[in-house]
Amino acid sequence: MATAIPPAPPLPPPKAPPKPAPPPPAPAPVAVGLNPPSLQAAKAKLRVTKPLEFYPPPAFHFAVSFGTQPKDADGAFREVSGIAPEVETETVNEGGLNGFAHVLPKSIKHPRLVLKRGIAVSDSRLVQWCQAVLDGGFVKPIFPKLVHVFLLDHGGDPLRCWSIENAWPVKWEIDGFQSTRNEVAMEKIELAYARSNRIY
């Protein structure tokens, strides 16, 4: 007797179609001129660009000249200070307003130009100028001079220059002498002046 053939199993349900992948996020906006290609180009340009040719000049190489005379040994100093123009102001309070005060300009004021060096010889032009003003008892008129302060490079050429107008000595101080101090005897000369200008 023939064996009955079992019925076929039912077909599986049809699969749902796959969901489409979400679109990739839009790239963040990049400012014009700052996109990666331009940044890479800028970095490459920096790598081949020459290094900066300007370096801040040192403060120890300087010279001073008086009048129309060129720089000489008489203009060698240990320290020069006092180039500091400042605006003199006046504070004005406005009635009814307590939250602030007006600051108004009045004039430009300058401190004294202070020169320090070892005690110079008696035939120094600067020493003779100080003697004529401070030791002369105002018998003769005071002749102000034009002073130039130079900041020099390694070759002795001026890098920066300040002009000090209508300068004249107002103080000539000799440092105290001490038997326990092994240092050079110093003198300090202070000059009053009308104004200062940076020439270059």
Side-chain angles (χ1 to χ4, degrees), residues 40-50:
Q40 296 298 330
K43 291 179 180 179
K45 185 177 180 181
L46 286 176
R47 284 193 292 267
V48 300
T49 303
K50 295 181 180 180

Side-chain angles (χ1 to χ4, degrees), residues 23-91:
V30 180
V32 177
L34 296 178
N35 51 4
S38 63
L39 287 177
Q40 296 298 330
K43 291 179 180 179
K45 185 177 180 181
L46 286 176
R47 284 193 292 267
V48 300
T49 303
K50 295 181 180 180
L52 295 177
E53 298 181 357
F54 171 77
Y55 296 93
F60 59 83
H61 199 189
F62 59 92
V64 182
S65 67
F66 299 90
T68 58
Q69 301 294 331
K71 303 187 297 296
D72 55 14
D74 200 33
F77 293 88
R78 177 180 178 180
E79 180 181 343
V80 176
S81 61
I83 306 177
E86 181 182 355
V87 177
E88 190 174 6
T89 60
E90 178 182 4
T91 303

Side-chain angles (χ1 to χ4, degrees), residues 4 10 33 47 50 63 96 104 149-150 160 165-166 192:
R47 284 193 292 267
K50 295 181 180 180
L104 305 178
V149 179
F150 299 93
R160 302 288 182 270
E165 300 181 8
N166 293 332

Side-chain angles (χ1 to χ4, degrees), residues 21-196:
V30 180
V32 177
L34 296 178
N35 51 4
S38 63
L39 287 177
Q40 296 298 330
K43 291 179 180 179
K45 185 177 180 181
L46 286 176
R47 284 193 292 267
V48 300
T49 303
K50 295 181 180 180
L52 295 177
E53 298 181 357
F54 171 77
Y55 296 93
F60 59 83
H61 199 189
F62 59 92
V64 182
S65 67
F66 299 90
T68 58
Q69 301 294 331
K71 303 187 297 296
D72 55 14
D74 200 33
F77 293 88
R78 177 180 178 180
E79 180 181 343
V80 176
S81 61
I83 306 177
E86 181 182 355
V87 177
E88 190 174 6
T89 60
E90 178 182 4
T91 303
V92 178
N93 296 317
E94 185 174 354
L97 298 177
N98 299 323
F100 67 94
H102 299 282
V103 180
L104 305 178
K106 292 177 60 179
S107 61
I108 305 296
K109 62 179 181 179
H110 301 272
R112 294 177 178 177
L113 186 69
V114 181
L115 310 173
K116 295 181 181 180
R117 68 174 182 181
I119 296 180
V121 295
S122 58
D123 59 351
S124 163
R125 294 199 309 270
L126 181 57
V127 169
Q128 295 174 357
W129 185 33
C130 292
Q131 287 179 329
V133 175
L134 299 173
D135 298 343
F138 302 112
V139 176
K140 297 181 180 180
I142 297 175
F143 296 99
K145 293 186 178 182
L146 177 66
V147 180
H148 287 98
V149 179
F150 299 93
L151 193 59
L152 309 176
D153 62 5
H154 63 281
D157 296 323
L159 289 173
R160 302 288 182 270
C161 177
W162 290 264
S163 67
I164 312 297
E165 300 181 8
N166 293 332
W168 55 283
V170 294
K171 186 176 181 181
W172 188 13
E173 179 183 351
I174 307 300
D175 273 359
F177 307 131
Q178 298 182 16
S179 60
T180 59
R181 201 172 69 179
N182 185 19
E183 298 179 2
V184 175
M186 302 294 296
E187 64 180 355
K188 181 173 68 172
I189 300 171
E190 297 186 10
L191 306 177
Y193 61 94
R195 65 176 181 174
S196 63

